[in-house]
Amino acid sequence: MNYIFDSSTLIYLGKVRLLEKIGMFPGDKFLPEEVYGEVVEKGLEKNESEAEYVSTLIEKKIFFVKKVALRYFKENHLSVADASVLNLTKELNGIAIIDESYARNIAKSSGIKSRGSLYIILIMVKNRLITKGEAISYLNSIIDLGFYLSNSKYNEFLSILEKMQD
C-alpha cells in the first residue's frame, strides 16, 4: 500500500519524532512536492524542528518526494498541497494521510481512501511499534502542540485503543 502524506500529519508527528516508525509500514510513503515545500523548505526558513527531521527521513528514503500533475483535482476550495495529495493518491491508488476535513470529504466522495494522524498512531499500536500508553502520550503531545481534536473523537480514539490486543 502506498501512503501519501499531507503537511499537517508530517508536521505534528514530526514534532514528536514519530515519523521514522512509518518506515516499517509496508509500501511506499510519498510527499507531493507542494507538501515538501510547506513542511521542509518553509519549515527550515522558520527554523521549525520537524523540517530537518523530515528532510533526514527523505534522505534515508523512508519518504519519497514526487512531482504531481493536478489532473483530477484542482485547487477549487482545496489548498494546492491538499489537491496534490488527492491527485497523487488517485494516481497511485494509495491512501491519503490527510487531517483536513474538507479534503477528506472530497476524497470520500471521489472514492479515494483517506485517513488521518490518528489512524497512523493506531496502526503503530496494532503493529507493536508503540504501546497503547505511548499512543495516548503522543496524541496528548500533538494536541498540546495545537492539533485540533474534538472530545468525541478523542474518546473514540481511546475506545478503539482499549479494544486493541496488547
Side-chain angles (χ1 to χ4, degrees):
M1 178 58 61
N2 293 313
Y3 298 87
I4 297 80
F5 286 82
D6 189 38
S7 302
S8 65
T9 304
L10 292 171
I11 290 169
Y12 285 110
L13 297 183
K15 285 185 183 295
V16 297
R17 299 298 189 258
L18 196 52
L19 291 173
E20 71 274 2
K21 293 183 186 306
I22 292 170
M24 296 179 201
F25 289 19
D28 290 324
K29 296 85 188 167
F30 294 98
L31 321 177
E33 283 182 340
E34 293 75 12
V35 171
Y36 175 83
E38 285 183 1
V39 175
V40 177
E41 292 172 351
K42 289 181 182 174
L44 288 172
E45 289 172 13
K46 295 177 179 179
N47 205 26
E48 297 288 348
S49 63
E50 73 281 355
E52 191 171 320
Y53 174 62
V54 172
S55 181
T56 300
L57 296 176
I58 292 166
E59 290 171 15
K60 290 180 178 180
K61 301 197 182 308
I62 292 173
F63 290 93
F64 299 95
V65 178
K66 190 155 175 65
K67 185 172 181 62
V68 180
L70 299 182
R71 289 184 209 148
Y72 310 106
F73 303 95
K74 306 291 185 208
E75 303 96 40
N76 300 345
H77 305 293
L78 288 170
S79 70
V80 175
D82 289 349
S84 296
V85 168
L86 295 182
N87 276 280
L88 187 55
T89 302
K90 184 169 178 73
E91 182 181 316
L92 299 176
N93 191 28
I95 298 176
I97 307 300
I98 192 165
D99 289 317
E100 204 277 314
S101 59
Y102 180 73
R104 288 188 53 184
N105 288 335
I106 297 287
K108 184 177 181 179
S109 68
S110 302
I112 294 173
K113 294 177 191 169
S114 68
R115 300 289 187 269
S117 296
L118 300 181
Y119 170 82
I120 295 296
I121 294 172
L122 290 170
I123 292 297
M124 287 182 185
V125 172
K126 180 180 178 186
N127 291 316
R128 301 186 193 293
L129 301 174
I130 60 174
T131 66
K132 290 179 182 182
E134 288 171 326
I136 293 167
S137 179
Y138 282 121
L139 179 57
N140 289 335
S141 293
I142 66 172
I143 289 169
D144 289 344
L145 290 165
F147 182 84
Y148 173 74
L149 190 63
S150 69
N151 287 339
S152 63
K153 283 290 181 191
Y154 186 87
N155 289 331
E156 182 182 339
F157 176 87
L158 293 178
S159 176
I160 292 168
L161 195 61
E162 187 178 301
K163 294 174 187 171
M164 294 177 84
Q165 296 284 351
D166 282 324

